[in-house]
Amino acid sequence: MSDSVSPTRRRTLIWLLRTSGTALFAALVYPVMAYLKPPKVTGDAVSSVRVGAIDDFTPASGTLFRFGNRPGILIRYEDGSFRAFSATCTHLDCTVQFKKDAGIIWCACHNGKYDLNGRNIDGPPPRPLDEFDVIEKGGEVFVTEA
Amino acid sequence: MRQWLNDRMDLDAVVSFAKKKTVPAHRHSVWYYFGGVTLFLFIIQVVSGILLLFYYRPGEDTAFESIRFLMSKVHFGWLIRSVHSWSANLMVLAAAVHMFSVYLTRAYRRPREITWVTGVLLFYLSLAFGFSGYLLPWNELAYFATKVGTDIAGSVPFVGGPIMELLRGGEQVSGATLSRFFGFHVALFPAIFTVLLAIHLLMVQRQGMSSPIGEEKNPKARSIPFFPNFFLRDVLLWLIVLNILAILAVFFPWELGVKADPFAAAPAGIVPEWYFLFMFQVLKLLPAHVLFLEGEVFGVLLFGTAMTLWIFIPFFDRQSQKGQRGRLFTIIGLAVIIFILFFTILGWVML
Ligand code: FES
């Protein structure tokens, strides 16, 4: 059998086989990989939300709110001013909470601590919380992407 | 009837194979049982898992409710779920014991490398089963555990981001993540697991049981027939395991917890499953920066590398390939075990 095929012809055939094999493989893999990557859902991205009426928030409090599909935390200071941060811990993504007694923002997952300015002060978080801009307008609090 | 089957399936060959099969008897023989126990628990997982599928409804709005329904309304629903959860934990435990006993007796040595490689992969896959199954009830703990777990995957340099998105089915842990994990847990992983398990068991049957290195050359080495002697002991042990499982499942039913709320803060006292506890603890203790890397990234790379090297142990252990007993790999094995135990206990007391 092998005698009847010239070496060049054999090489060509093998080359053809390999190339088409690779092409077939790529043609299967690429769509599957692309399929697995979730498409960007529009509507996820918001640039501004209304959190509530100013009077809803007592001084020295922290409230979680929805910012699109992400949680945010609105802090109202003793003096009545506001700041808002992303409530996603910079360590491993848990959602932080306001701890009134300790006067900090706290992450339960690995005991990460932030001060009320969103700065990481203790525990594993490597960075401060991302900050949003707060706008007070007509007795209401709005939060926008900084 | 027998003749009819025999003509088609060559039963005689199977019977004579079973007759010939023996199990070495020596002072380390007890370790031979753990593979069988793992297999037994795996079978329980398959059966109870299929039963759960009859009522479980994946989805952000339905998953938690369907399990609550299963546990409160369906006859013995709580039991089936409890068995599935407990058996999963026992299976990981049995598999770990099996793996380390194989390691320490050097049963991975030539010509059993393939058995070892498939075995380690099966073990990792068991952990992946545990991780993916954990999310399915869609409760608070599971939700944040998944956030943390997938974020850890995301911290791997370069490929981490896409991997995290692939796992989560988006940027956040959401209903899409639940769908994916459900797919992994009931379709993808079982498919891969079955193939690996088939190879693993086939190799064990073809090559027979390995004897520890010293025992092999012992002229007085004894062995007992697999069938029925060893087999009956196997079955007895399975019954014992089944009883332990029943006691655990009945007296410590698996809690359902609180439904996940993506916009609520993480609850206090959140921990991973015990078999991830040592990694959790190490990651927690690592400083924020090691060398030029973030502590987290360093830890993940460290575990990733170690777990990869572990697969190829038989190829590094040159001495055992030649049938010699080397100290080095015993020390490595013991060090790994002590490391894991130490940080597991530490993680436990520091909760
Ligand atoms: S995720 Fe917040 S401290 Fe780890």
Side-chain angles (χ1 to χ4, degrees):
Chain A
M1 174 70 193
S2 57
D3 307 328
S4 60
V5 184
S6 78
T8 6
R9 204 164 146 196
R10 169 189 291 264
R11 242 179 287 131
T12 319
L13 280 173
I14 289 181
W15 182 84
L16 277 174
L17 211 63
R18 278 213 192 117
T19 320
S20 43
T22 315
L24 179 67
F25 183 71
L28 292 177
V29 167
Y30 180 74
V32 171
M33 294 305 279
Y35 173 84
L36 290 176
K37 187 173 156 53
K40 290 269 170 289
V41 187
T42 45
D44 269 10
V46 282
S47 50
S48 171
V49 293
R50 179 191 159 274
V51 188
I54 290 180
D55 298 335
D56 291 350
F57 308 99
T58 53
S61 72
T63 315
L64 287 173
F65 62 92
R66 290 165 183 248
F67 193 83
N69 60 0
R70 291 177 286 160
I73 187 165
L74 180 75
I75 305 287
R76 184 161 199 198
Y77 298 95
E78 302 274 6
D79 65 359
S81 64
F82 289 98
R83 270 173 92 177
F85 305 94
S86 156
T88 303
C89 182
T90 55
H91 179 224
L92 293 173
D93 266 14
C94 281
T95 308
V96 297
Q97 56 188 290
F98 177 74
K99 270 248 171 199
K100 193 176 174 94
D101 42 352
I104 54 164
I105 300 173
W106 182 59
C107 176
C109 284
H110 314 99
N111 201 16
K113 291 175 186 151
Y114 303 85
D115 67 14
L116 293 185
N117 296 312
R119 273 193 312 250
N120 47 321
I121 48 172
D122 194 20
R127 288 181 286 113
L129 293 170
D130 295 330
E131 185 161 8
F132 294 126
D133 282 339
V134 179
I135 298 162
E136 294 168 48
K137 206 168 67 189
E140 311 232 289
V141 185
F142 294 86
V143 167
T144 64
E145 198 92 63
Chain B
M1 180 66 181
R2 183 173 168 140
Q3 191 53 45
W4 190 88
L5 282 176
N6 204 7
D7 286 346
R8 282 152 190 88
M9 309 201 317
D10 200 7
L11 284 182
D12 287 343
V14 179
V15 173
S16 68
F17 177 80
K19 277 201 184 122
K20 271 210 304 274
K21 185 173 159 72
T22 58
V23 179
H26 46 76
R27 61 200 174 90
H28 300 301
S29 286
V30 42
W31 303 114
Y32 288 129
Y33 294 97
F34 282 90
V37 168
T38 313
L39 180 64
F40 175 64
L41 289 165
F42 174 68
I43 295 167
I44 292 185
Q45 284 311 87
V46 173
V47 175
S48 56
I50 291 174
L51 290 175
L52 289 176
L53 270 181
F54 290 166
Y55 287 100
Y56 180 67
R57 298 196 292 154
E60 227 173 323
D61 309 317
T62 52
F64 186 84
E65 285 75 6
S66 71
I67 295 183
R68 195 164 50 193
F69 175 77
L70 175 107
M71 289 177 69
S72 55
K73 296 274 162 51
V74 179
H75 296 295
F76 295 109
W78 63 274
L79 182 66
I80 303 291
R81 171 159 184 264
S82 202
V83 163
H84 193 69
S85 309
W86 273 111
S87 165
N89 282 276
L90 293 182
M91 182 179 142
V92 170
L93 185 67
V97 173
H98 176 50
M99 181 172 78
F100 283 109
S101 66
V102 162
Y103 180 95
L104 288 175
T105 52
R106 301 287 199 285
Y108 57 67
R109 70 186 185 278
R110 208 180 117 106
R112 292 185 174 78
E113 295 94 330
I114 297 178
T115 320
W116 171 264
V117 171
T118 49
V120 175
L121 293 176
L122 284 167
F123 183 69
Y124 292 168
L125 211 50
S126 307
L127 299 180
F129 266 115
F131 184 65
S132 58
Y134 200 60
L135 180 67
L136 301 186
W138 199 247
N139 57 28
E140 230 177 13
L141 287 181
Y143 177 79
F144 285 106
T146 307
K147 274 199 131 182
V148 171
T150 47
D151 196 85
I152 288 177
S155 71
V156 178
F158 308 118
V159 291
I163 289 181
M164 184 169 95
E165 206 178 323
L166 191 87
L167 291 173
R168 288 185 175 178
E171 277 160 24
Q172 307 289 329
V173 174
S174 64
T177 320
L178 185 61
S179 301
R180 278 178 188 226
F181 276 38
F182 181 62
F184 294 148
H185 193 77
V186 306
L188 182 64
F189 294 164
I192 306 173
F193 199 94
T194 310
V195 173
L196 288 174
L197 184 63
I199 300 173
H200 191 72
L201 295 179
L202 198 70
M203 295 303 290
V204 174
Q205 295 319 314
R206 287 187 59 167
Q207 298 179 326
M209 302 296 186
S210 159
S211 281
I213 288 174
E215 229 30 70
E216 222 173 19
K217 304 197 181 81
N218 183 348
K220 291 203 291 287
R222 291 182 309 120
S223 62
I224 62 171
F226 175 77
F227 201 88
N229 304 37
F230 191 83
F231 180 72
L232 286 177
R233 290 170 208 210
D234 248 347
V235 170
L236 178 66
L237 189 59
W238 291 9
L239 280 177
I240 294 174
V241 171
L242 188 63
N243 277 296
I244 296 175
L245 179 61
I247 290 171
L248 289 171
V250 170
F251 291 107
F252 305 95
W254 211 264
E255 303 263 332
L256 178 55
V258 183
K259 186 176 174 175
D261 175 0
F263 294 96
I270 180 168
V271 265
E273 292 148 286
W274 59 269
Y275 43 86
F276 292 127
L277 197 57
F278 75 98
M279 296 200 220
F280 169 88
Q281 189 57 34
V282 172
L283 290 182
K284 216 162 128 181
L285 291 179
L286 278 174
H289 292 277
V290 181
L291 307 173
F292 53 93
L293 294 168
E294 261 183 38
E296 213 62 46
V297 179
F298 176 82
V300 171
L301 289 179
L302 194 77
F303 282 122
T305 316
M307 285 174 73
T308 311
L309 291 179
W310 191 247
I311 303 175
F312 299 105
I313 282 286
F315 304 99
F316 301 131
D317 187 358
R318 288 286 168 74
Q319 267 183 308
S320 79
Q321 285 181 22
K322 294 193 218 108
Q324 296 158 354
R325 197 161 19 178
R327 270 278 159 69
L328 179 64
F329 280 82
T330 305
I331 294 172
I332 294 178
L334 290 175
V336 169
I337 295 173
I338 291 170
F339 178 87
I340 293 175
L341 286 180
F342 178 79
F343 283 103
T344 304
I345 294 170
L346 195 67
W348 200 259
V349 295
M350 280 178 58
L351 284 185

